Amino acid sequence: MLGFLGPDGGVDLDAVERVVAELDGCAWTFHRAIDRAADRDALRKQLADLPGLDAYLTAGAADGVDDGLATLLREAALHGEPGYEQRLLVGGGLRLDHVPPLIAAGVDAFHIGGAARPEGWERPCRRRPWASGGRSSTEPEAPGPVREPPFSLRRVGREAAPCA
C-alpha cells in the first residue's frame, strides 16, 4: 500500500514509479492519498497503467466516508472505464450503514481500522464472544477453537496477484 502526492495535490508519479519498480510485479494498493488529491480522476488516469495496481483504498473524501459516499458511488458506477478498472477498497470512517448502498453499487471490498478497536490502539484486540466460545470480550483470552460468527461472512472478489 502506497501513495504520494506533490505539493499541488497531484500524484507524485516519480515517487510512485520508483517504489513500484522495486515491487517486481507484486500487487499494490494506492492508499487514501487519493482522498486529498486535487483531481481524483486525473490521478486515477495517471496511475491506470502502472504494473500491479489493483485497488484504491479510499473514503471518497479526506474527512471520511460520510463526506465521500457520493464520490464512492459515482466511482463505482465508472468501474471498467479507463482509470476505473481497479477495485475500490472503501475505508476511513466506514460505518455499517454505509455498506448496503456501496454493495448495491458494486463495491465488494471494505477496510476497517479503529472500528475493530473500540478500546483504542493502546490495547490489544480482544476476541468477541462469538469467537471465544461465549466468554465476554473482557475475560482473558485462552487458546481454543474459533467459532463461526453469528453473521454470514463470504469471500468476494479475486485473489491477489502473486509476486513475480
Side-chain angles (χ1 to χ4, degrees), residues 65-85:
V65 176
D66 273 341
D67 291 341
L69 187 59
T71 297
L72 295 168
L73 296 174
R74 181 185 65 78
E75 290 183 352
L78 294 172
H79 184 75
E81 293 188 20
Y84 293 85
E85 295 91 349

Side-chain angles (χ1 to χ4, degrees), residues 64-153:
V65 176
D66 273 341
D67 291 341
L69 187 59
T71 297
L72 295 168
L73 296 174
R74 181 185 65 78
E75 290 183 352
L78 294 172
H79 184 75
E81 293 188 20
Y84 293 85
E85 295 91 349
Q86 294 78 18
R87 168 184 257 174
L88 284 177
L89 171 57
V90 176
L94 181 69
R95 292 192 321 266
L96 188 57
D97 60 298
H98 296 131
V99 175
L102 290 164
I103 288 175
V107 175
D108 64 0
F110 301 91
H111 171 72
I112 61 169
R117 294 182 164 277
E119 296 181 37
W121 291 95
E122 293 76 38
R123 304 178 91 188
C125 289
R126 297 191 181 178
R127 286 186 181 179
R128 300 295 168 234
W130 55 264
S132 60
R135 290 188 323 275
S136 85
S137 63
T138 59
E139 291 179 47
E141 190 172 321
V146 175
R147 300 201 176 18
E148 290 299 313
F151 48 84
S152 173
L153 293 176

